[in-house]
Amino acid sequence: MTDFIIENYLWLKAFHLIAVFAWMAGLFYLPRLFVYHADAVLGSEFDEKLKIMERRLLNAIMTPAMVVAWVFAVMLVYYHIEAGSFKQGWLHLKIMMAVILTIMHKMCIYYRRKFANGTNEKSHRYYRFFNEIPTLCLIVIVISVVVKPF
């Protein structure tokens, strides 16, 4: 397994990035749908359409992309452990941001269920704030990976 990971590091990184891009697209879009859904009339045609869109986005794109991103991330972490670079602070910060994004993903699952059951209690303003979290995490991840400040 070690040889496979070392020999295919760039391929693993490429597939990790593809999965992360798909996951991030969903993390940007789903909370935006929640913004609109928070103001939708319960039981309206728009409400029902948003329920379908949210479910499909989460189940067909976001969750599979998150799983694939984490699978490749584990392999990349293994590479960094073997290479002796796992002690670098930028990598720990990146992993922490990925954990925050995963928690946000779990929160999206919870909020989608609330909308599906007609029991949402949050306002569109709450979801507007919630929608900014992945952007902030992405900024921290890109800077930490590219600049490697520590």
Side-chain angles (χ1 to χ4, degrees), residues 49-108:
K49 182 75 164 177
L50 286 169
K51 288 177 185 178
I52 293 168
M53 292 171 66
E54 292 161 359
R55 180 179 44 79
R56 287 181 179 168
L57 177 60
L58 193 58
N59 295 338
I61 297 171
M62 288 176 64
T63 298
M66 179 191 69
V67 169
V68 171
W70 272 106
V71 166
F72 283 106
V74 168
M75 287 189 262
L76 295 172
V77 165
Y78 185 78
Y79 171 85
H80 285 286
I81 291 169
E82 289 294 312
S85 56
F86 187 71
K87 297 175 184 172
Q88 297 176 357
W90 67 268
L91 186 55
H92 293 242
L93 180 60
K94 178 189 176 196
I95 292 168
M96 185 176 74
M97 291 297 107
V99 168
I100 291 170
L101 290 171
T102 302
I103 292 167
M104 183 181 174
H105 184 102
K106 296 294 187 180
M107 291 173 72
C108 284

Side-chain angles (χ1 to χ4, degrees), residues 107-147:
M107 291 173 72
C108 284
I109 292 169
Y110 173 78
Y111 293 142
R112 191 207 64 82
R113 286 185 184 144
K114 294 289 256 180
F115 279 115
N117 295 331
T119 57
N120 173 57
E121 300 163 351
K122 307 286 186 193
S123 71
H124 68 93
R125 286 190 179 140
Y126 172 84
Y127 291 114
R128 285 182 196 279
F129 171 76
F130 185 69
N131 193 42
E132 299 306 321
I133 296 170
T135 303
L136 297 173
C137 289
L138 179 65
I139 290 168
V140 172
I141 289 170
V142 169
I143 290 172
S144 68
V145 170
V146 173
V147 178

